[in-house]
Amino acid sequence: MPLGAGRVNLTQLNILNWGFLENIILTVPIGLLLKWFWPKLSLLTIGGLGLLVGSSIEIGQYVLSQHWLINRSSDINDVLANAIGIIIGGLLVTLYYRLSTSRRSRVRLVA
């Protein structure tokens, strides 16, 4: 990419591309770790943290792009994809906890 100030996309919602899916996949581990280390966090709180993390990443890209002319674009689609990925990670850990506790209770009933 050539040097220059990046752009900001706040209007065009485009969820049917590989970039959106990549951002989801890259942030799933954050959701896994949040729910794993703090299991009492609700999924609503994890979703809020997902929006905060996604917004922070995009604001950082915008600031770096304007200051050092690295030509990175900030995109509202990336914020949404990051939040979705973090929520999916939290959901996976929640499902793991529920399945493991139900399996343990079934084993106790049989034994």
Side-chain angles (χ1 to χ4, degrees):
M1 284 187 160
L3 289 177
R7 60 182 176 78
V8 177
N9 174 23
L10 295 175
T11 58
Q12 184 181 13
L13 183 62
N14 185 8
I15 61 172
L16 299 175
N17 63 23
W18 285 108
F20 193 82
L21 183 62
E22 288 170 349
N23 276 321
I24 290 174
I25 292 169
L26 287 171
T27 54
V28 166
I30 297 171
L32 290 169
L33 290 172
L34 281 172
K35 191 67 174 173
W36 192 268
F37 287 117
W38 296 285
K40 294 190 180 197
L41 284 178
S42 70
L43 289 176
L44 185 62
T45 303
I46 289 178
L49 289 171
L51 288 173
L52 181 69
V53 168
S55 298
S56 299
I57 291 169
E58 294 304 310
I59 288 170
Q61 282 183 359
Y62 177 77
V63 169
L64 290 174
S65 181
Q66 299 301 314
H67 186 60
W68 283 296
L69 303 176
I70 61 172
N71 201 13
R72 295 285 303 181
S73 64
S74 298
D75 197 344
I76 192 67
N77 297 321
D78 294 346
V79 174
L80 294 174
N82 293 340
I84 291 169
I86 291 172
I87 291 170
I88 289 171
L91 276 171
L92 290 173
V93 173
T94 302
L95 288 174
Y96 171 77
Y97 283 149
R98 296 233 172 129
L99 290 175
S100 65
T101 56
S102 68
R103 182 175 296 170
R104 276 189 245 144
S105 64
R106 278 188 271 149
V107 169
R108 287 182 194 152
L109 291 174
V110 173

